[in-house]
Every structure is written in structure tokens, then in C-alpha cells.
Amino acid sequence: MARPAACRIRSVLIALAAITLLTGCAEAAPDSPFPPRPADIDVTGIDPCAALTPAEQADRGVGPGEPGTGDLGDGPTRICGWSNFDDGYNYSVQTLPLPAAVVVGTPDSTVHVVDGYGVVQSTAFGDSFPLCSHYIDASDPHGIRVQVMATASNEDGSIKDFDEVCGKTTLLTSQALRNLRPAG
């Protein structure tokens, strides 16, 4: 049995209203603070200790990283850490069960781009042993945290500055992205 014209018109109007409503919602969604990613990184399948090649480890004066696991409350995490007691720095790469966007706007944070990936840079402990963290926008549900911490003062006893510590963090972030992202 054919539907009356009024029913067809009502169906078309309801469909148009739904499309208009959905389009309006899509336009109202906030813009991402990050550029489009060169490629998503599936952090559930990476080994954080693979963030540095053996040659990059040698350049830093560190051996193979020390792996670890844990739970951050929002899910599991894997971490790899390297220490160089001669140059006074600790390095780490950690998978995160949350996207990098959750740290946008936190105190002492700024948004940067490293090798095409959005990164939230956060600093802490500037009065003692400066720490610089990069939260990488690896995928929609997950992030990667790269950290460098000064573990010693300068030879003259002064505190290392954030420019130096964050410069080392940017280099480590670039190396981690090159070594952990999908080939292609």
C-alpha cells in the first residue's frame, strides 16, 4: 500500500531536520589544538625501549633502557628509562592510556609541533632539578609522554635551565617519533 504524500513529506522534513541538527553539532565541535597527525601511533603495540636506537643510546651515553609497567588509573602504561650519571640527565618514554589533549591548558604548559605531531610541553621543578615533558598526540585515545629531567646541577653549582632540558626533550621526542611510528 502506498504511503500518503503527507507521510512522505513529513519523513523528508524529519530527515532534513536531523541532518541540519547533526551538521550544526559538527560545526560547534571545538577545534583540536594539534595539527593533523602524519600517522596514528598505536601505543598499545609499541615498545617504549625501542624509542632510541643503539646508536642514539650511545650518543647519550646510556645503555639499553630499563622497561617497566604500571596502571595510571585510566589504564595500563609501559615505560622505558635511561640514566646518564655523567651528564646528569634521566630520559624516559611512556605510553599513556589518555590522549595528549587532556593536558592542554595545564599550568606551565604550551602546545608545540615536533616532526608534524602536536605536543604539549610541560615543565616543573625549575628551582631544583628541572623536568621537561612532552605529551605527544599519538592517536585519538592514547598519547606518549617523553621526559627529560636534570639530575645534577651545572659544574658551577647553578641549576640547569629549561631551555637546555627542553631542548634535550625535543630531540628525544623527535627520535622517539621516528623510531616508534608506523613505517611508510
Side-chain angles (χ1 to χ4, degrees):
M1 181 151 89
R3 291 183 6 187
C7 287
R8 285 192 303 265
I9 292 172
R10 186 178 321 134
S11 295
V12 169
L13 289 175
I14 290 172
L16 285 174
I19 290 169
T20 302
L21 179 63
L22 291 174
T23 303
C25 289
E27 290 173 2
D31 291 332
S32 171
F34 307 122
R37 292 176 209 99
D40 282 3
I41 300 172
D42 178 8
V43 304
T44 63
I46 63 170
D47 173 8
C49 288
L52 289 175
T53 65
E56 292 164 344
Q57 292 169 16
D59 287 345
R60 278 198 172 67
V62 298
E66 294 188 33
T69 60
D71 189 331
L72 295 178
D74 293 306
T77 182
R78 289 179 323 287
I79 189 167
C80 191
W82 301 265
S83 293
N84 182 329
F85 298 104
D86 293 331
D87 76 355
Y89 285 97
N90 282 340
Y91 308 92
S92 67
V93 175
Q94 181 178 16
T95 62
L96 299 174
L98 298 169
V102 300
V103 293
V104 171
T106 57
D108 299 316
S109 70
T110 53
V111 175
H112 300 267
V113 177
V114 175
D115 295 351
Y117 284 84
V119 170
V120 180
Q121 179 174 293
S122 178
T123 56
F125 310 120
D127 294 335
S128 57
F129 297 105
L131 170 72
C132 186
S133 303
H134 280 180
Y135 295 85
I136 303 170
D137 179 42
S139 67
D140 287 339
H142 301 110
I144 298 171
R145 178 172 50 202
V146 174
Q147 291 185 319
V148 175
M149 182 174 197
T151 59
S153 300
N154 291 316
E155 287 185 20
D156 64 3
S158 64
I159 297 169
K160 296 187 189 277
D161 65 35
F162 280 125
D163 288 341
E164 182 179 347
V165 178
C166 289
K168 290 180 178 292
T169 308
T170 299
L171 177 59
L172 179 56
T173 298
S174 182
Q175 291 168 326
L177 284 167
R178 183 177 51 251
N179 296 326
L180 296 176
R181 72 178 165 205

